[in-house]
Amino acid sequence: MIGGNESCTAGPIPMSYLTCLTYILGEWTGVEHIEDYLSYAVYLLWVLFPLAVVFLLPGVLIILLYISILLLHIYKRKNELKEAYSNDFWDGGKQMLATLWDGHGRIWHGYELHGAENIPEGPGLIVFYHGATPADYIYFVARLLIQKKRSCLVVADHFVFKLPGFKILLNVHGVMHGPKEECVSALKNGCLLAIAPGGVREALFSDEMYTIIWGNRKGFAQVAIDAKVPIIPMFTQNVREGIRTLGGIKILRTLYEHTRLPLVPLYGGFPVKLRTFIGEPIPYEPNVTAEELTEKTKAAVQGLIEKHQKIPGNIFRALMERFQTQKKDD
């Protein structure tokens, strides 16, 4: 057995481990001067490693989502015999996932929630700006459940319901397709409901300028009018610095408009500071039109962006804010 500081030999010439390995590899492949190719490969690995990391980090969110699904399945199997004796079978499961996601938000982003007192005791429609991923909304829901013991339903894009294994997660957390009648019914039953009018288009194709991309969508406003509930604007600071997209590439925008599938690559996963701000509610007015309420809501969300977000967004600045000890005032 060769000791740690010994060398191996090829014929009469002593060689170090690395040289020995290179020699053996060259003999095996028959490639001359293989050490030059290996040096080039190591150089490429060194250059491309940071790039690979920023594209792989967003996968952590996917892993956490599937961990959440696994935990729900475990919880279901463990407690299915108690279902007949419980008012809400999933209460414990929701608390478990809230703890998981709130812990991730605190550790990775120093997540803060401001303005929770603006959420009414009764029903309300939360309207928020959509980042590249809904991670900030998940952190908000987790903190809301832990602090206020309240759940919040949400309207999601149709493709979410086609993701493998997601059915149990979507059902437990009240994720809806979003027909107007179903939304109105949920609000009339006293629920909180959240929606991002910009949806996937805003998630993928907005940028560090935090441009609101709602198009002509005003269905959410009609839902609030029909249900006679207030609208609560919401925005998360630095949400586009945590994870960004390649949505500025025109061919990807064209591809999305033709397929309606989110095929735009994401990158980042940076531990930037995230703060969610809840604005003052826009009260129900019986004589307001959907168009007028849409404009009011858009102005309220834009106001939160202008007040709490430095534009253009900057990843380095957002990283520095993560390590500031002083909390931001509401």
Side-chain angles (χ1 to χ4, degrees), residues 208-286:
E208 65 273 15
M209 300 305 294
Y210 286 82
T211 306
I212 294 176
I213 305 177
W214 290 5
N216 295 320
R217 293 182 177 178
K218 54 182 181 291
F220 72 92
Q222 191 60 55
V223 165
I225 293 171
D226 293 346
K228 300 180 181 179
V229 299
I231 287 179
I232 305 102
M234 185 171 81
F235 169 71
T236 299
Q237 181 188 57
N238 295 327
V239 67
R240 299 212 76 90
E241 275 54 74
I243 294 180
R244 289 191 171 178
T245 76
L246 298 181
I249 301 175
K250 291 184 178 180
I251 190 172
L252 294 177
R253 179 66 179 266
T254 302
L255 183 62
Y256 170 78
E257 297 298 345
H258 280 84
T259 65
R260 294 303 173 91
L261 294 175
L263 302 175
V264 178
L266 307 177
Y267 68 96
F270 306 114
V272 301
K273 184 68 176 182
L274 293 183
R275 298 183 179 97
T276 293
F277 295 92
I278 311 294
E280 294 184 3
I282 302 171
Y284 164 71
E285 297 178 26

Side-chain angles (χ1 to χ4, degrees), residues 2 19 22 55 74-75 79 83 98 127 139 149 155 166 188 193 226 230 244 248 258 263 291 296-297 320:
I2 301 175
T19 307
T22 303
F55 280 98
I74 295 172
Y75 177 85
N79 293 278
E83 184 174 8
V127 177
Y139 298 144
K149 308 302 180 186
V155 177
F166 267 55
K188 285 186 175 180
L193 177 66
D226 293 346
R244 289 191 171 178
H258 280 84
L263 302 175
E291 290 78 7
K296 282 186 177 182
T297 306
M320 293 301 98

Side-chain angles (χ1 to χ4, degrees), residues 38-275:
L38 290 176
S39 297
Y40 184 65
V42 170
Y43 171 76
L44 284 180
L45 181 63
W46 179 79
V47 170
L48 297 177
F49 180 74
L51 186 63
V53 168
V54 299
F55 280 98
L56 290 175
L57 275 177
V60 173
L61 295 177
I62 303 298
I63 293 171
L64 281 177
L65 285 171
Y66 276 103
I67 289 175
S68 300
I69 292 167
L70 177 61
L71 290 175
L72 285 177
H73 279 293
I74 295 172
Y75 177 85
K76 180 180 179 181
R77 293 293 177 265
K78 181 180 177 182
N79 293 278
E80 58 189 0
L81 295 178
K82 301 178 183 178
E83 184 174 8
Y85 306 98
S86 174
N87 291 327
D88 188 346
F89 175 75
W90 289 111
D91 273 347
K94 291 177 181 178
Q95 289 287 344
M96 178 175 59
L97 296 192
T99 302
L100 171 69
W101 282 96
D102 188 60
H104 184 267
R106 286 176 183 272
I107 294 170
W108 196 245
H109 294 292
Y111 180 76
E112 298 175 15
L113 175 60
H114 297 262
E117 66 277 4
N118 290 325
I119 299 176
E121 293 297 326
L125 181 63
I126 296 174
V127 177
F128 63 98
Y129 172 87
H130 203 314
T133 71
D136 62 309
Y137 172 76
I138 299 175
Y139 298 144
F140 159 71
V141 170
R143 187 67 58 86
L144 184 69
L145 185 62
I146 292 171
Q147 291 186 349
K148 302 288 186 178
K149 308 302 180 186
R150 295 198 67 182
S151 297
C152 184
L153 309 180
V154 65
V155 177
D157 192 89
H158 66 89
F159 88 90
V160 175
F161 297 88
K162 299 178 181 179
L163 294 174
F166 267 55
K167 183 178 180 180
I168 188 172
L169 186 66
L170 301 179
N171 289 341
V172 169
H173 286 286
V175 182
M176 305 162 55
H177 281 285
K180 186 179 77 170
E181 296 76 15
E182 188 177 349
C183 293
V184 171
S185 176
L187 289 167
K188 285 186 175 180
N189 287 332
C191 298
L192 278 177
L193 177 66
I195 186 171
V200 177
R201 187 176 284 107
E202 185 171 81
L204 298 181
F205 304 111
S206 186
D207 54 25
E208 65 273 15
M209 300 305 294
Y210 286 82
T211 306
I212 294 176
I213 305 177
W214 290 5
N216 295 320
R217 293 182 177 178
K218 54 182 181 291
F220 72 92
Q222 191 60 55
V223 165
I225 293 171
D226 293 346
K228 300 180 181 179
V229 299
I231 287 179
I232 305 102
M234 185 171 81
F235 169 71
T236 299
Q237 181 188 57
N238 295 327
V239 67
R240 299 212 76 90
E241 275 54 74
I243 294 180
R244 289 191 171 178
T245 76
L246 298 181
I249 301 175
K250 291 184 178 180
I251 190 172
L252 294 177
R253 179 66 179 266
T254 302
L255 183 62
Y256 170 78
E257 297 298 345
H258 280 84
T259 65
R260 294 303 173 91
L261 294 175
L263 302 175
V264 178
L266 307 177
Y267 68 96
F270 306 114
V272 301
K273 184 68 176 182
L274 293 183
R275 298 183 179 97

